[in-house]
Amino acid sequence: MATSVKSFPKLRHHVPLSSPPLPPAAIDWLRDIGIRSQADLRQRGVVLAFLQLKASGKTATRRLLFALEAAARGAHWNTLSEDDKQALQRQLAAHPPVALPPSAEEQQDYLIEAMRLADLAAGEGEVPVGAVVVKNGAIIGRGYNQPIGRRDPSAHAEMQALRAAAQTLGNYRLDGCDLYVTLEPCPMCAGAILHARVARVIYAAADAKTGAAGSVANLFAEPRLNHHTAVFSGTLADRCAAQLSAFFRQKRDRHD
């Protein structure tokens, strides 16, 4: 989601970030969170990039926010109008809290385990979706799709993993926990994740039909809700999408 106050022209090439408008230290900070060019900054969004720097413990002042906007425009921060600055500050105030993503290695390891669980679902004739809940580096809940076998419309992979994690902790509130799932959560699962106070959701494949983390709706970005879970996606997306496609292809072949 773009968060800058100005509509930018399309870049023809990757323009590196420079000082000015950015302080040299800020260029290094941005590189640490995967932003190396003007195009990267525009794609991430100025306000989101600012909040991610802040979440990483960097000294993120309003002046840096203005400098980021200027860098995205290819201008100097003192060229921003007062209206520009006020619009940025309104976007900042309205933005949900931001957390940093788990490491790439963690994301891959836990999503591979979720894929293994998804295979169990496929073996039982269920749509292959798997999920794990992680706290302090340990898996405390596992689940895979079982609505058919359990005769339970709520028995999605995420719901199963949340229930198992709650039993492990002895508390329905899963503060400090992360949920990894092979497919973008639906509205039901998104609501349960928010109710459980899960800190971060990491999903692989997007769901264009019922995805509630940005594909169809985004409950996680709803500012009127009293808890905000950070959401990250994309890791192993192709592999998880292929896992789903293979399942439905086999079902079609059996019915032909």
Side-chain angles (χ1 to χ4, degrees):
M1 181 177 67
T3 54
S4 293
V5 296
K6 185 176 181 179
S7 179
F8 300 119
K10 185 177 180 180
L11 289 176
R12 294 182 181 178
H13 54 85
H14 287 281
V15 178
L17 299 172
S18 62
S19 177
L22 291 168
I27 295 174
D28 292 336
W29 297 345
L30 289 166
R31 190 178 297 114
D32 289 342
I33 61 171
I35 298 175
R36 295 174 173 80
S37 69
Q38 191 180 10
D40 292 340
L41 180 57
R42 292 182 182 186
Q43 183 175 13
R44 185 76 56 93
V46 167
V47 172
L48 178 56
F50 174 82
L51 288 170
Q52 288 178 336
L53 290 177
K54 192 171 182 179
S56 68
K58 302 299 188 293
T59 304
T61 64
R62 296 300 168 90
R63 183 164 179 170
L64 178 58
L65 175 65
F66 303 151
L68 289 168
E69 175 67 20
R73 297 185 185 193
H76 194 278
W77 72 267
N78 62 14
T79 64
L80 300 183
S81 69
E82 284 305 312
D83 286 345
D84 290 335
K85 294 177 183 179
Q86 289 175 16
L88 278 167
Q89 291 181 83
R90 285 194 298 271
Q91 291 177 23
L92 182 63
H95 200 286
V98 166
L100 294 178
S103 70
E105 183 179 3
E106 287 178 298
Q107 292 187 50
Q108 181 161 310
D109 288 348
Y110 292 127
L111 283 170
I112 286 174
E113 173 62 12
M115 289 185 69
R116 186 189 69 79
L117 293 164
D119 281 336
L120 296 179
E124 296 177 13
E126 308 270 5
V127 175
V129 181
V132 296
V133 174
V134 176
K135 186 177 178 69
N136 297 330
I139 295 176
I140 62 169
R142 290 175 169 85
Y144 57 89
N145 263 5
Q146 291 182 291
I148 299 171
R150 289 182 176 268
R151 299 176 179 83
D152 177 0
S154 72
H156 286 193
E158 300 96 315
M159 303 293 284
Q160 301 284 74
L162 290 171
R163 288 169 179 146
Q167 289 297 312
T168 299
L169 296 181
N171 192 337
Y172 80 92
R173 288 195 172 187
L174 304 180
D175 295 309
C177 292
D178 297 330
L179 185 143
Y180 293 80
V181 60
T182 58
L183 182 66
E184 181 180 358
C186 71
M188 174 185 69
C189 294
I193 289 165
L194 289 166
H195 188 59
R197 310 294 197 271
V198 170
R200 298 181 295 190
V201 166
I202 301 90
Y203 72 86
D207 185 347
K209 294 183 177 179
T210 63
S215 292
V216 177
N218 194 348
L219 292 182
F220 298 101
E222 174 50 64
R224 291 170 293 185
L225 298 178
N226 65 359
H227 176 76
H228 296 288
T229 298
V231 179
F232 305 95
S233 63
T235 300
L236 301 187
D238 291 344
R239 286 177 61 179
C240 291
Q243 187 180 42
L244 285 158
S245 296
F247 172 79
F248 288 113
R249 184 168 56 251
Q250 289 172 3
K251 285 194 70 173
R252 288 193 299 270
D253 289 347
R254 284 196 296 269
H255 286 87
D256 288 343

